[in-house]
Amino acid sequence: MLTSMTGKSVVVTGASKGIGRGIAQVFASKGARVLVVSRNAEEGASCAAELGNGASSFAADVTNWDDMERMSRSAADRHGGIDVLCANAGIFPQIGIEDMSVGQWDEVLATNLKGTFLSVKACLPYLKRSQSGRIVITSSITGPITGFPGWAHYGASKAGQLGFLRTVAIELAKYRITVNAVMPGNIATEGLGDLGEDYERGMAASIPLKRLGRVVDVGYAALFLASEEAGYITGQTIVVDGGQILPESLEALA
Ligand code: NAP
């Protein structure tokens, strides 16, 4: 049983749907006051209303510095500071390298990598004031460990997040802020659903646990990394993938 999250102020970017929503649900169920961040105001507000426990929402784009500054100020004003940032917002449009435009590359890097930097930078003044500041980044197995056609830009952004966190973990250690990442495999989300049933079926068959992950599976890993008990862990990652990266070949799954 982990120390309670009661009274902690937790910011989750990309929390209106998918993995972010799962992370938000887990933290709210453990007593945290969650700020749900997404571009779509209506979806964010309805997610916050469902979460209850003092959750509120803020419409903001993680690629925009002014938005991130306003978002962090609002989290601190409404929830009495910021103890935990879950930098989760991300996009994963699929396009082969031969057809990928410069604009498509820039959009993915701006959301997934620059968005992580801007979220961290904006929340930092408040995390420093917390006695146990925590940053949990949602990376992926795709990029840092595996590859998949159509995701050269995405994989680069997700591997980039890990390079970012290893240096930031050292820099923020003096404030007792830890910086870690969850690395999901294939998790059943709205975004993943857009890739189609064939994709989901093929992925489930390649996973030793024989199912896609649930959003709360990632949420519980994030909760652990944000807990008091994980206070001596920084600059590290937890893979949440049902064993997907383990098989050397299809025979290994027989
Ligand atoms: P999703 O279902 O598409 O949800 C994405 C969330 O991010 C939504 O709340 C969306 O809300 C928000 N978002 C997107 N762009 C944003 C922006 N510029 N500013 C603010 N919010 C933004 O995606 P998901 O599958 O849950 O993925 C979430 C994270 O997990 C991503 O970082 C992704 O790389 C990572 N991941 C997912 C999987 C998986 O299998 N699903 C696996 C590995 C890693 P708005 O559109 O309203 O802004």
Side-chain angles (χ1 to χ4, degrees):
M1 181 68 183
L2 300 175
T3 309
S4 163
M5 280 281 147
T6 302
K8 297 264 186 194
S9 166
V10 179
V11 170
V12 186
T13 67
S16 65
K17 289 188 232 171
I19 290 175
R21 191 186 184 101
I23 292 173
Q25 282 167 346
V26 167
F27 277 91
S29 75
K30 301 295 176 192
R33 281 163 301 171
V34 177
L35 188 79
V36 173
V37 182
S38 63
R39 288 166 302 180
N40 186 308
E42 227 168 88
E43 288 176 359
S46 107
C47 174
E50 254 176 53
L51 292 177
N53 204 50
S56 61
S57 63
F58 194 92
D61 186 334
V62 294
T63 68
N64 183 298
W65 170 242
D66 292 339
D67 275 16
M68 288 301 95
E69 264 202 312
R70 276 196 294 271
M71 176 280 288
S72 61
R73 210 177 310 124
S74 175
D77 289 349
R78 292 185 207 172
H79 298 162
I82 300 176
D83 300 298
V84 181
L85 164 66
C86 295
N88 165 83
I91 56 172
F92 37 95
Q94 244 181 325
I95 179 98
I97 187 71
E98 290 178 274
D99 299 317
M100 190 181 291
S101 69
V102 174
Q104 286 166 324
W105 171 274
D106 285 345
E107 189 191 5
V108 169
L109 272 287
T111 307
N112 300 358
L113 190 53
K114 183 179 166 196
T116 299
F117 160 60
L118 294 184
S119 311
V120 168
K121 186 172 170 60
C123 292
L124 191 51
Y126 308 101
L127 289 165
K128 279 165 69 174
R129 282 178 220 147
S130 169
Q131 288 309 298
S132 50
R134 298 276 189 271
I135 297 170
V136 182
I137 294 170
T138 305
S139 174
S140 176
I141 59 169
T142 311
I145 302 177
T146 63
F148 198 86
W151 278 329
H153 50 1
Y154 177 76
S157 73
K158 293 285 140 180
Q161 286 177 310
L162 299 191
F164 171 80
L165 89 78
R166 290 187 182 112
T167 287
V168 175
I170 297 173
E171 291 186 19
L172 301 188
K174 60 177 174 287
Y175 305 117
R176 287 189 292 160
I177 297 172
T178 67
V179 191
N180 294 290
V182 287
M183 296 168 72
N186 281 269
I187 310 297
T189 66
E190 289 86 337
L192 199 83
D194 292 343
L195 301 174
E197 274 179 29
D198 282 353
Y199 174 88
E200 290 192 11
R201 230 189 328 271
M203 279 301 171
S206 74
I207 297 170
L209 287 177
K210 294 293 175 213
R211 66 168 176 86
L212 299 190
R214 301 164 303 164
V215 291
V216 291
D217 293 327
V218 184
Y220 286 118
L223 178 72
F224 170 66
L225 290 171
S227 68
E228 289 299 321
E229 286 81 353
Y232 200 54
I233 300 173
T234 195
Q236 301 303 316
T237 60
I238 297 180
V239 172
V240 186
D241 75 340
Q244 187 170 0
I245 60 172
L246 301 176
E248 281 187 6
S249 73
L250 288 176
E251 283 73 48
L253 287 168

